[in-house]
Amino acid sequence: MDKLLITGGRQLNGEVTISGAKNSALPILCASLLTADTLKLHNVPRLNDIRTSLRLLNQLGVHTQRLDDGTVELRADQVTSLEAPYDLVKTMRASILVLGPLLARFGEARVSLPGGCAIGQRPVDQHIKGLAALGADIQIEHGFVVARASRLKGAVVRTDMVTVTGTENLLMAAVLAEGQTVLENAAREPEIIDLAELLIKMGARIQGHGTDRIVIDGVETLHGAEHTVIPDRIEAGSFLCAVGAARGDITLRNVIPEHLGATLDKLREAGLELTVGDDWIRAVMQQRPKSFDVRTQEYPGVATDMQAQLMALNTLADGAAVIIENIFENRYMHVQELCRLGAEIDIDGYTAVVRGVERLSGAAVMATDLRASASLVIAGLAAEGETLIDRIYHLDRGYEQMEVKLRSLGAAIERITGKEAA
């Protein structure tokens, strides 16, 4: 099992290019199921979650080809299976995104419930509720969501909560439904907009994406298209937190700064000097960060996917910060690992109080999830001595060659593989 070894205390300097957005690429790959024509996608990141998604699509019968330049071509003209099995779905919750496209185009889908998912606790129930409103007959059988519909019919769908994957699933289902569908309380994330823009290129009729009310007029069929995935705002925010903690002067290339609005506001509060261009951000940090409060919210608020990284920056800040996690339960698993590095953090329910310390101390720590992994890397870059991070397969799910990019900025970070990591 691979590990990362970081020798902290080096400032970060230079330029880094941000990869395509994982959370945009995953639903866009699933959209290939909506047409028999070829979908050509650019700026698709090389990540474990992307590889899992491509394996799932291959198992369904989609022909996929990955080119060296970050392009992926997909053609779903010979779909041979309508079932997404547990052995693939359990490793990536986003696999549920094949449900809407399969049902819309083929009238049937059998998708395993995501691993560890109790229907009432995560928004899979909102996917089911929405598809049922579009006329699908849905049953839960032996751990599978089994959905059938001769053809979905447009309806007004109001989800009980804002759900990004729910909005994406219902959006992809509605584009081939008969009549008009209105999605109310829809998610507004940039990744939703990116998916909608691809679907429009494929012939879908969509209005209002980027707002909480999306209107879709269903069409009979969709055709192929070519599309470039947007840059990953979470990766960009993570690198900005890294330079905030380790200090230095870095420039991010291939970014859309407006997608990071709330994160940039918080980083300015921390004391980063930010200069923003059309597709680049320069960040300079030469002093100890100042503490800043964080309250995660749906877009355009501070993303829950940035909470752990912003917490890592706050561990070194002058003062105390209050962090409130409003989106996901059990998203403070990184706290005990940050405390192993010398952080002072107290948790009470959904609230964490971080009292900044002047320095962290390297230690052996364990990554518990994707964004927790990034928070440990950020802390390790600033800590005195060596930090050894175990279970970095979590990191590989969402960050493309993070250690390579950090080394290019001057970080002392290396991947330990095979027997060395044992």
Side-chain angles (χ1 to χ4, degrees):
M1 189 179 296
D2 290 4
K3 301 179 182 180
L4 282 182
L5 179 64
I6 304 172
T7 303
R10 294 194 183 185
Q11 292 195 5
L12 304 180
N13 293 282
E15 295 189 357
V16 65
T17 300
I18 299 303
S19 300
K22 173 184 82 82
N23 290 339
S24 191
L26 292 174
I28 281 175
L29 289 172
C30 294
S32 64
L33 291 165
L34 290 166
T35 178
D37 296 340
T38 299
L39 213 57
K40 188 173 185 178
L41 306 175
H42 304 288
N43 201 35
V44 179
R46 292 183 179 276
L47 304 168
N48 283 352
D49 274 9
I50 297 297
R51 284 186 277 273
T52 298
S53 184
L54 291 174
R55 282 201 303 272
L56 173 57
L57 292 171
N58 287 154
Q59 190 156 324
L60 296 175
V62 180
H63 175 74
T64 65
Q65 182 179 11
R66 174 121 213 184
L67 306 179
D68 291 338
D69 63 354
T71 298
V72 175
E73 294 184 357
L74 307 99
R75 189 175 181 90
D77 58 339
Q78 296 181 12
V79 172
T80 55
S81 172
L82 303 178
E83 178 176 312
Y86 178 66
D87 64 335
L88 286 174
V89 175
K90 69 179 180 181
T91 64
M92 187 181 70
R93 302 184 61 84
S95 300
I96 195 72
L97 288 168
V98 301
L99 178 61
L102 285 175
L103 180 62
R105 182 172 164 212
F106 299 101
E108 185 178 345
R110 181 179 167 88
V111 179
S112 174
L113 288 168
C117 178
I119 279 290
Q121 297 177 357
R122 289 292 186 101
V124 173
D125 63 326
Q126 299 302 304
H127 302 233
I128 293 171
K129 173 186 173 182
L131 293 172
L134 296 177
D137 174 60
I138 301 181
Q139 305 293 328
I140 307 298
E141 300 177 359
H142 308 293
F144 282 82
V145 179
V146 180
R148 298 180 180 86
S150 55
R151 185 182 181 188
L152 297 174
K153 298 187 183 300
V156 176
V157 180
R158 299 181 187 88
T159 53
D160 298 331
M161 59 187 293
V162 177
T163 159
V164 174
T165 53
T167 299
E168 291 164 344
N169 233 343
L170 296 173
L171 178 59
M172 288 189 283
V175 293
L176 292 179
E178 181 182 348
Q180 186 177 88
T181 298
V182 179
L183 302 181
E184 296 189 346
N185 202 27
R188 296 180 285 169
E189 273 71 3
E191 294 80 13
I192 300 286
I193 299 173
D194 202 27
L195 173 62
E197 290 297 324
L198 165 72
L199 294 171
I200 290 169
K201 290 178 182 177
M202 296 170 67
R205 299 171 61 191
I206 303 170
Q207 294 179 316
H209 44 298
T211 76
D212 60 3
R213 186 176 187 272
I214 305 176
V215 180
I216 308 107
D217 290 299
V219 296
E220 290 282 344
T221 60
L222 296 179
H223 52 71
E226 187 170 354
H227 184 75
T228 299
V229 175
I230 60 173
D232 196 315
R233 61 193 173 102
I234 306 302
E235 183 192 13
S238 300
F239 273 94
L240 294 174
C241 287
V243 75
R247 306 183 190 179
D249 182 346
I250 69 170
T251 298
L252 307 184
R253 301 291 182 186
N254 187 40
V255 292
I256 302 177
E258 56 262 37
H259 290 174
L260 287 100
T263 295
L264 297 184
D265 290 345
K266 290 300 173 184
L267 293 173
R268 287 190 176 99
E269 285 185 44
L272 274 77
E273 297 177 26
L274 299 175
T275 308
V276 175
D278 290 340
D279 60 357
W280 57 270
I281 300 172
R282 181 184 177 192
V284 180
M285 188 67 164
Q286 297 297 349
Q287 71 280 339
R288 184 183 180 188
K290 303 170 187 175
S291 63
F292 56 97
D293 295 339
V294 175
R295 180 186 294 267
T296 63
Q297 296 175 313
E298 294 87 1
Y299 189 84
V302 176
T304 181
D305 278 356
M306 281 302 304
Q307 178 255 107
Q309 301 91 306
L310 292 169
M311 180 183 285
L313 180 56
N314 258 316
T315 63
L316 291 158
D318 183 8
V322 176
I323 297 177
I324 301 175
E325 174 57 61
N326 288 309
I327 307 300
F328 286 124
E329 74 281 4
N330 200 28
R331 199 155 199 183
Y332 284 141
M333 291 188 292
H334 49 283
V335 168
Q336 67 179 17
E337 301 302 307
L338 288 173
C339 289
R340 284 180 54 80
L341 298 173
E344 295 184 5
I345 308 169
D346 295 316
I347 301 174
D348 183 7
Y350 292 96
T351 301
V353 177
V354 184
R355 295 175 179 84
V357 298
E358 290 192 11
R359 61 184 60 85
L360 297 173
S361 178
V365 291
M366 180 179 68
T368 54
D369 60 63
L370 170 54
R371 306 308 172 184
S373 306
S375 75
L376 297 177
V377 171
I378 292 165
L381 291 170
E384 295 179 347
E386 292 186 344
T387 297
L388 184 66
I389 306 175
D390 198 358
R391 295 190 179 179
I392 61 167
Y393 57 84
H394 290 294
L395 190 77
D396 293 336
R397 288 184 45 228
Y399 291 91
E400 184 174 22
Q401 294 188 310
M402 191 179 203
E403 75 278 11
V404 175
K405 292 181 179 182
L406 285 169
R407 271 201 306 274
S408 75
L409 298 174
I413 179 172
E414 61 179 301
R415 180 179 291 255
I416 301 175
T417 61
K419 293 182 179 179
E420 293 180 293

